[in-house]
Amino acid sequence: MQKLLCGRFELLLHRPLVMGIVNVTPDSFSDGGCFDSTAAAAAHARKLVEAGADILDIGGESTRPGAATVPVEEEIRRVVPVLQALQSMNVPLSVDTRKPEVMRAALEAGVDLVNDIAALEGVGALELVAQSGAAVCLMHKQGDPRSMQSAPEYADVVAEVTNYLAARRDAALAAGIARERILLDPGFGFGKTFEHNVALFRALAAMRQELGCPLLVGVSRKSMLGQITGKPVGERASASVAAAVLAAQAGAEVIRVHDVAGTVDALKVLRTLGVACCEALRDNARLSVKGPVLGPND
Ligand code: 7PJ
């Protein structure tokens, strides 16, 4: 049975897991400004767990195209109090950061997963995670959030992203991070045109097979869904749920979303009515955890 060693937890990957997004940023593109205090972010996080989130992803720096960078101290000030407030919830906590200093502070605060859009390329990041018990998500991006959407270019986007993820997976293994602690992510919208995103999404099943590590997919509310539906960011929930189902059907093990309740329902329907095409969908066994049992929605 495939599993993800994730800090305090051992997550079985026999069904797709839902990672709920908790932004602690005043400038986030979809819910910016709503959850910019610790109490509000923690309250939002609790709602996501009630809605069935398996993992909470806490981020203190917006990485939307064109976003300004946040100083290290400010990012720590945003993220660590939220991690502390959620420690006792018995749900795996992830930190969405590319800064090794923030990773260090989050690991000290007990974070279970480091979600790095820079795939641990930061100085000392591989070693930091290797010395911890945390899981890691290694994501592909081209360029930097500030400039990445200006002119993304690939000769073969699927091959290049797959090769990059394989190389970062191998760097993590070489640094001493066990295979069972690694998630890989093609990084939808990070230095990719609409056509690049579509090509990558359609190649998910093949990438999953080739890479041999669980995949995390994040397309929730992203512009590729706006381009498909013609809808603004606040009206992309249905499109996001549809994409989550398709990603899970292609074999993605973790789906990163804003709209947890709808995604959880849709994935339950997929598991029961869908045609099994991957390990995540074949096995109806329940999520198990090391230590106390996870929330009531499993
Ligand atoms: C992603 C992420 C993603 C991973 C963001 C947004 C932008 N981390 N952090 N994958 N996206 N691993 O939520 O639209 O796709 S921030």
Side-chain angles (χ1 to χ4, degrees):
M1 171 74 64
Q2 228 197 332
K3 61 189 172 183
L4 181 71
L5 303 182
C6 187
R8 298 166 291 161
F9 300 87
E10 200 174 295
L11 304 178
L12 296 186
L13 300 174
H14 48 249
R15 64 164 177 87
L17 302 181
V18 174
M19 171 185 265
I21 300 169
V22 181
N23 286 317
V24 202
T25 54
D27 64 341
S28 257
F29 83 114
S30 62
D31 51 11
C34 299
F35 305 113
D36 60 352
S37 76
T38 300
H44 182 60
R46 287 191 192 95
K47 278 194 195 135
L48 296 186
V49 172
E50 275 166 35
D54 299 298
I55 304 170
L56 294 173
D57 189 37
I58 291 107
E61 179 186 46
S62 171
T63 43
R64 73 180 154 77
T69 57
V70 176
V72 171
E73 303 72 34
E74 171 64 14
E75 198 178 326
I76 291 175
R77 198 188 61 72
R78 291 178 186 180
V79 156
V80 167
V82 178
L83 292 173
Q84 289 167 340
L86 299 175
Q87 267 299 314
S88 61
M89 277 199 77
N90 194 33
V91 63
L93 301 177
S94 162
V95 65
D96 185 350
T97 188
R98 53 196 169 137
K99 299 195 187 78
E101 298 92 334
V102 180
M103 290 174 200
R104 183 190 297 281
L107 288 166
E108 282 168 7
V111 84
D112 299 293
L113 192 160
V114 173
N115 174 24
D116 183 6
I117 64 157
L120 299 185
E121 287 201 53
V123 177
L126 279 169
E127 294 73 15
L128 259 176
V129 172
Q131 286 156 20
S132 77
V136 65
C137 179
L138 304 169
M139 198 196 80
H140 173 275
K141 65 175 170 55
Q142 185 179 95
D144 233 43
R146 228 177 317 186
S147 59
M148 65 190 177
Q149 287 306 107
S150 55
E153 264 187 62
Y154 302 84
D156 178 339
V157 68
V158 172
E160 285 171 47
V161 170
T162 305
N163 290 341
Y164 174 82
L165 292 177
R168 295 313 296 163
R169 173 201 64 200
D170 292 344
L173 291 169
I177 301 172
R179 183 174 282 269
E180 289 180 316
R181 292 169 57 198
I182 300 173
L183 291 166
L184 302 175
D185 180 350
F188 289 98
F190 284 85
K192 282 122 188 155
T193 63
F194 178 70
E195 288 73 21
H196 295 142
N197 288 317
V198 171
L200 282 169
F201 200 95
R202 290 180 175 171
L204 277 174
M207 291 176 76
R208 173 66 186 84
Q209 183 126 30
E210 172 145 358
L211 289 165
C213 280
L215 293 187
L216 184 153
V217 167
V219 289
S220 183
R221 300 185 187 173
K222 283 188 179 173
S223 65
M224 60 188 284
L225 300 178
Q227 282 166 279
I228 293 170
T229 60
K231 300 242 171 110
V233 69
E235 296 170 28
R236 294 178 192 161
S238 301
S240 300
V241 168
V245 168
L246 292 171
Q249 191 155 45
E253 280 83 354
V254 182
I255 317 290
R256 182 180 178 277
V257 303
H258 300 86
D259 305 291
V260 169
T263 307
V264 167
D265 283 354
L267 293 178
K268 282 180 180 166
V269 172
L270 173 65
R271 286 179 73 211
T272 306
L273 301 184
V275 179
C277 68
C278 59
E279 188 185 8
L281 296 173
R282 258 198 305 271
D283 188 338
N284 274 342
R286 303 197 148 231
L287 178 75
S288 89
V289 294
K290 206 166 59 181
V293 175
L294 265 190
N297 307 296
D298 178 31

